[in-house]
Amino acid sequence: MMISPSTIQLVQRTARIEEIIADFIPLKKKGQNFWACCPFHHEQTPSFSVSPIKGFYKCFGCDAAGDVITFIQQIEGVSFVEALTYLAQRYSIPVTPTADDTGDLQDYNAKESLYILLNLARDYYTNLLWNHTEAAKVALPYLEQRAISSVVAKKFGLGYSLDRWDGFYTFAVEKGISLALLIAAGLVIQNGDKVYDRFRGRLMFPIQNGSGQVVAFGARHMTTAVDGPKYINSSETAVYQKGSLLYGLSFAKRSIKQINHCYLVEGYTDVLAFHKAGVEEVVASAGTALTEAQIEALRRLTTKVTLIFDGDQAGIQAAFRGIDKLLAQGLEVKVILLPTGEDPDSYLRKVGTDGFKHYIHCTAQDFVTFKANVLLNQSTEQNPVEQAKAIRAVVQSIIAIPDEITRTLFLKKCSQLFSIEEAVLFTTYHTLQHQTNEVRPQKKTFFKHHTTAKNRPSLDRKNIPFISKLTASIEAYEREIMRILLTYGTTTVAEGKPLYAYILLELEDVVFRSTDCKVLFDYCQTVFKQSRCVDMQCCLDSTEATIRKIAIDVTAFPHDISEAWIKKYSIYTTEEAQNVYQMSLEVILRLKIRLVQELIEENREALKKGLSADEEIHLLQVHQSLKDTECRIAKQLGTVVAQ
């Protein structure tokens, strides 16, 4: 690994998992844990549990699980090293590398070099905007014309690229930056022997990722006669993939979470317009069609999205395309169409801040009303065929909604808007739904590799101290033993020894049947032989993702005993921690007796086969020995077995 184990452990011990996860999704405390709707799959009822005490999260819906580092890896789509570095910076922990120069280190260094260069470019362009005579002639007047204040411009790091072929390239070479790195960052282009700046004579908009790091640029030309489009973006790089980011998200995250709502606009200046009006919960798709990755980023922060588009035909069609995608992810969607010829920036300048806020608050329509009104205006009463198409188009959007109750309510509203009988509309709905289900590809789950039959938990654990039925599977007892070992292993028992020492020594000759439990038990034995403490933390510290995942699976619970039992109903329960030694003893004995009973059954089957006299006598002796062992264990358990 490229980062020293001491740094990794310090980050793991310092980073508060509930604090980090709350930066991305809203958490609600319930008992000892925090709960939320899972950010990795769509759901209506929270099944995503965060345990501050144990230091891990677990989704009981899609099986996502891990510690604080794993969460950052999965939520941001970054490597282990990048996630660790992010957390270290968050808690001001110095990152100490090891001497090993691994592939991870090279990848990390390459991305860090890009981040450093892109930040340098941002500073270069920003300096030009405020201090260069060329920018003073073309860029600053544009900002003044659009009423973009210096406060807002500096907040978003706006800049200016000189109208020269090699303005930035010359600057970068003087700084000792290699051509290869400049090309990798998408800042210069090489065409044969010619090398020139990608951005020339343009107003620069730095594009940041969710963590606030500059990863790319959008650029608007400043002259009327120009070769190329009005806006151009950076090419894709190792740190920037088109369609994966939302412009302004790093500035909007906190407000979106607090308000549980987000405005989705089209362009860079639209986002700036909202900030001018004091509305920060806004992001832009920045010229790309709305993607699944962008919607996923929104869904982690809010359940409500309002689309804002220009009132022309292009704006209407863009709104239509985005509606169904957002609905399919369970988001509540509203739409605002600005007056024809206006965008958020121009309309704000026209009506002022108060008028702008009033408009966006009062004209938002739910998607059914919006779509129905638009389509009805496009059709006529004299053209029933066009009206029928309009109805089907609205119903098709309703089908995208995951929740059945919500779908039903919107169908009723659609019936009223189109003045069509509910029964007829519901018939159309079921027909279209059937057609949609036939052609819709099966959705891949985020953690499909964790939901195979092999890895699926063999025991539907309830919130009980231990499993009491003799008929329970051997694998179930094994999982319960591992749960006790990791949860209470450090508890002191007889002669001042930890419980984990007793359990590991008691079961050292037992071969676990469950593949997961065997892997975990073998790992715990290795840790024990190294004279290290065996507990949940030693598993979370493992460099093997499999160990961390299995450990979380066997210790996480979907339910907690409610505090109301004591406070409201005066019902007192015995905590299993108070009787952990007896509990572990009983589960171990139950596992052993089940193993013995299995051997007895195998021996009985062997006796049914044609055997010689000596073989039969030997098997009868084995049978008696096994029955004696069964009776001895049963006596310890306080049960009776048939002879």
Side-chain angles (χ1 to χ4, degrees):
M1 291 186 61
M2 66 149 290
I3 296 179
S4 66
S6 60
T7 301
I8 295 173
Q9 290 186 5
L10 181 58
V11 169
Q12 289 174 323
R13 303 299 191 276
T14 306
R16 296 174 56 186
I17 189 167
E18 73 279 14
E19 185 176 82
I20 295 299
I21 293 180
D23 285 344
F24 295 87
I25 57 174
L27 297 176
K28 184 176 181 181
K29 197 168 192 311
K30 181 181 175 185
Q32 292 184 335
N33 295 341
F34 291 87
W35 292 80
C37 288
C38 181
F40 303 120
H41 81 288
H42 172 69
E43 63 179 4
Q44 299 293 327
T45 304
S47 62
F48 185 85
S49 174
V50 181
S51 173
I53 296 175
K54 297 177 181 178
F56 63 72
Y57 64 90
K58 166 77 176 178
C59 177
F60 295 94
C62 72
D63 205 33
D67 62 1
V68 65
I69 300 175
T70 309
F71 180 82
I72 295 298
Q73 283 184 265
Q74 293 171 349
I75 202 80
E76 293 283 17
V78 297
S79 68
F80 176 85
V81 172
E82 290 173 306
L84 194 73
T85 304
Y86 169 87
L87 293 169
Q89 291 173 346
R90 169 71 183 274
Y91 290 94
S92 301
I93 297 172
V95 177
T96 306
T98 63
D100 297 332
D101 189 8
T102 63
D104 276 346
L105 177 58
Q106 293 173 355
D107 181 62
Y108 171 74
N109 284 339
K111 289 184 177 180
E112 278 298 298
S113 296
L114 289 176
Y115 289 135
I116 293 170
L117 174 55
L118 289 162
N119 275 283
L120 176 67
R122 187 265 317 275
D123 294 342
Y124 167 81
Y125 294 132
T126 299
N127 180 60
L128 289 177
L129 177 64
W130 303 111
N131 299 303
H132 200 280
T133 55
E134 184 180 315
K137 292 178 181 179
V138 292
L140 293 183
Y142 174 80
L143 295 181
E144 185 177 353
Q145 174 195 342
R146 303 298 294 259
I148 299 174
S149 68
S150 60
V151 173
V152 173
K154 290 177 180 178
K155 176 180 181 180
F156 284 84
L158 301 193
Y160 177 73
S161 56
L162 295 176
D163 191 13
R164 301 176 188 173
W165 286 100
D166 60 353
F168 178 72
Y169 176 58
T170 301
F171 166 81
V173 169
E174 290 175 353
K175 292 287 185 182
I177 299 170
S178 69
L179 175 59
L181 185 59
L182 290 167
I183 294 173
L187 293 169
V188 303
I189 298 172
Q190 184 175 28
N191 187 2
D193 295 333
K194 295 181 179 180
V195 178
Y196 52 91
D197 291 355
R198 177 181 294 275
F199 307 109
R200 304 181 302 278
R202 291 178 177 267
L203 183 67
M204 304 295 292
F205 296 84
I207 299 172
Q208 299 179 334
N209 61 18
S211 303
Q213 294 173 303
V214 177
V215 294
F217 291 92
R220 188 193 191 281
H221 71 68
M222 291 283 96
T223 57
T224 53
V226 65
D227 267 341
K230 181 188 292 186
Y231 281 95
I232 61 173
N233 283 349
S234 295
S235 58
E236 291 198 350
T237 68
V239 295
Y240 172 64
Q241 292 78 44
K242 290 181 180 178
S244 65
L245 300 177
L246 289 160
Y247 181 73
L249 184 61
S250 60
F251 299 99
K253 274 198 302 188
R254 188 174 298 276
S255 294
I256 292 173
K257 285 197 300 181
Q258 289 175 346
I259 301 171
N260 188 26
H261 175 259
C262 180
Y263 290 106
L264 179 59
V265 296
E266 294 184 89
Y268 306 120
T269 56
D270 297 336
V271 172
L272 270 59
F274 271 79
H275 279 260
K276 285 191 295 182
V279 180
E280 295 189 344
E281 62 276 15
V282 57
V283 296
S285 54
T288 62
L290 197 60
T291 66
E292 293 293 330
Q294 290 171 331
I295 295 172
E296 183 65 27
L298 285 176
R299 195 178 62 78
R300 293 169 190 160
L301 300 171
T302 182
T303 59
K304 301 175 183 179
V305 175
T306 299
L307 299 167
I308 300 183
F309 290 99
D310 301 349
D312 55 17
Q313 190 60 34
I316 291 172
Q317 291 305 314
F320 278 8
R321 288 192 297 270
I323 285 173
D324 290 3
K325 290 181 179 180
L326 291 164
L327 290 173
Q329 295 299 319
L331 292 166
E332 180 184 327
V333 181
K334 291 187 177 181
V335 184
I336 295 173
L337 275 187
L338 294 169
T340 303
E342 303 285 359
D343 58 32
D345 179 55
S346 65
Y347 193 65
L348 171 63
R349 285 183 280 120
K350 183 176 181 178
V351 300
T353 299
D354 292 339
F356 181 78
K357 286 184 175 180
H358 176 78
Y359 187 87
I360 64 175
H361 290 155
C362 298
T363 61
Q365 298 176 313
D366 65 73
F367 77 95
V368 167
T369 304
F370 161 73
K371 204 166 185 178
N373 287 339
V374 170
L375 294 172
L376 282 173
N377 289 335
Q378 292 176 350
S379 63
T380 63
E381 292 184 5
Q382 289 75 27
N383 193 337
V385 175
E386 291 300 318
Q387 279 194 310
K389 288 181 179 179
I391 293 170
R392 289 191 181 92
V394 175
V395 172
Q396 197 68 59
S397 291
I398 294 174
I399 289 172
I401 301 172
D403 182 62
E404 183 67 40
I405 295 176
T406 306
R407 288 200 299 264
T408 302
L409 293 174
F410 273 119
L411 283 169
K412 289 180 179 292
K413 185 166 189 175
C414 184
S415 170
Q416 298 168 359
L417 289 170
F418 283 101
S419 299
I420 186 172
E421 292 183 10
E422 285 187 19
V424 176
L425 194 63
F426 273 84
T427 300
T428 301
Y429 161 74
H430 288 299
T431 301
L432 292 175
Q433 186 184 44
H434 178 70
Q435 293 172 354
T436 302
N437 290 338
E438 283 184 339
V439 299
R440 181 180 294 158
Q442 187 169 357
K443 187 175 175 112
K444 296 180 181 179
T445 58
F446 189 85
F447 289 94
K448 62 178 181 179
H449 55 287
H450 290 314
T451 55
T452 61
K454 179 181 177 181
N455 291 327
R456 189 177 297 115
S458 58
L459 172 64
D460 182 16
R461 299 189 306 276
K462 306 297 181 184
N463 193 26
I464 54 177
F466 49 79
I467 305 162
S468 59
K469 296 182 179 180
L470 282 173
T471 56
S473 69
I474 290 173
E475 289 83 359
Y477 287 123
E478 291 173 348
R479 290 181 68 86
E480 183 65 4
I481 286 169
M482 294 312 303
R483 183 188 75 83
I484 295 170
L485 173 63
L486 297 183
T487 306
Y488 304 109
T490 57
T491 303
T492 302
V493 290
E495 300 178 0
K497 293 183 178 180
L499 179 64
Y500 65 75
Y502 161 73
I503 294 176
L504 292 170
L505 292 172
E506 189 69 24
L507 295 174
E508 62 180 350
D509 295 328
V510 173
V511 178
F512 278 56
R513 302 293 178 82
S514 163
T515 303
D516 285 353
C517 288
K518 185 179 187 307
V519 169
L520 192 58
F521 187 77
D522 290 347
Y523 172 78
C524 290
Q525 282 185 315
T526 300
V527 172
F528 179 55
K529 290 174 182 177
Q530 294 172 348
S531 300
R532 292 161 53 200
C533 179
V534 179
D535 58 3
M536 186 65 195
Q537 192 59 54
C538 83
C539 295
L540 294 179
D541 289 344
S542 172
T543 57
E544 297 182 37
T546 302
I547 297 295
R548 300 195 299 270
K549 179 67 172 60
I550 298 172
I552 292 171
D553 283 347
V554 301
T555 56
F557 278 88
H559 308 292
D560 287 321
I561 295 178
S562 172
E563 296 176 356
W565 282 31
I566 297 175
K567 294 180 179 179
K568 188 173 182 180
Y569 303 111
S570 298
I571 299 175
Y572 295 89
T573 59
T574 302
E575 293 186 6
E576 61 180 12
Q578 298 173 356
N579 198 27
V580 65
Y581 177 74
Q582 183 63 34
M583 178 176 67
S584 58
L585 173 62
E586 181 166 346
V587 178
I588 289 172
L589 290 173
R590 291 192 183 282
L591 171 63
K592 287 184 175 181
I593 200 171
R594 288 291 290 116
L595 291 170
V596 170
Q597 288 169 346
E598 188 178 80
L599 291 173
I600 290 172
E601 289 303 315
E602 291 175 359
N603 197 67
R604 282 174 177 163
E605 291 299 317
L607 282 168
K608 293 178 183 179
K609 300 176 182 179
L611 303 170
S612 65
D614 290 343
E615 290 173 333
E616 185 173 353
I617 291 172
H618 172 70
L619 288 178
L620 286 171
Q621 291 173 340
V622 170
H623 177 79
Q624 187 58 51
S625 175
L626 289 171
K627 290 299 292 184
D628 290 343
T629 302
E630 181 189 22
C631 290
R632 185 173 66 254
I633 297 174
K635 184 176 180 181
Q636 289 178 276
L637 285 169
T639 60
V640 178
V641 297
Q643 295 294 320

